[in-house]
Amino acid sequence: MGFGERWIKWIEWCISTVKFSILINGSPSGVFQRSRGLRQGDPLSPYLFVIVMKVFSCLLGKTISGGFLSGWRVRGRSGEGILISHLLFADDKLVFCEESLDQMTYLSWLLMWFEACSGLKINLKKNELIPMGRVHDIEDLALELGCKVGSLPSCYLGLLREPPSNQWLCEMVLKSDFKKGLQCGRDGIFQKGGRLILIRNTLSSIPIYFMSLFYLPRKVRLRLEKIQRDFLWGGRALVQKSHFVRWNLVCLEKRKGGLGVRNLALMNITLLNKWNWCFANEKEAF
């Protein structure tokens, strides 16, 4: 028995031997054994996902090598580049192919084979067929695959798949996330110290994912900073009260007399320059 088979057997043993007990009025009501699946948040879930997605990757690799799917070739600095058939991250998957009815048929067959191999059921209602450029028969292709038609810009892992050319769209996405972050605090609970912790740990961290890939427009940055200022001095209701300290002083380090809040402009420049450093030093990286 190989290492992979022993690993699968060990995971199967961990799943099949789990027992549960429900507390009723503070007392356990008995023990029962589960029949299938894992509880939400189980530490074994990532391992199972990797093993199952390995099957999906192998099926796609065989399909590409057989000429049934084309994939997408990324050109590098020199040479032929690299052929990408799919991208996997967490529970999101991207599959690249040509706008061909035959390739849609092959892809639908591949998904059926994956269902048969893994025992999973693919919900095609959650899938989208997103055209790159002008595709005349996109409705027929989506019908063949059994999914709906999407369009750009769309979100992948909570981020737009292309740089937002519309400043209003960029602002709306980030401001909505900021308002969700404010829900962490309740009216009347936090004093200024608590609100400062929420700003440093939550509000200042929300746009990092966006700023690591896109340039944050100055107008949008100023409005996000205004939300932080109003929350710091006025509470969750964002009441405009007197600001006792200038915001550039608030963003200084504590040892320099500030409060340690992140400077969004400086953070944006730093995160984008990280890619310049990687491009210059990691020439063989994907």
Side-chain angles (χ1 to χ4, degrees), residues 139-157:
E139 296 291 345
D140 295 336
L141 298 179
L143 182 61
E144 178 65 25
L145 188 59
C147 63
K148 59 184 178 180
V149 179
S151 61
L152 294 175
S154 60
C155 289
Y156 177 65
L157 304 177

Side-chain angles (χ1 to χ4, degrees), residues 30 47 56 66 82 109 112 123 135 139 167 230 248 258 279 284:
Y47 296 101
F56 184 72
I82 182 174
W109 291 352
M112 288 189 294
N123 188 1
V135 180
E139 296 291 345
Q167 179 174 296
D230 293 342
N248 58 345
F279 186 75
E284 302 300 326

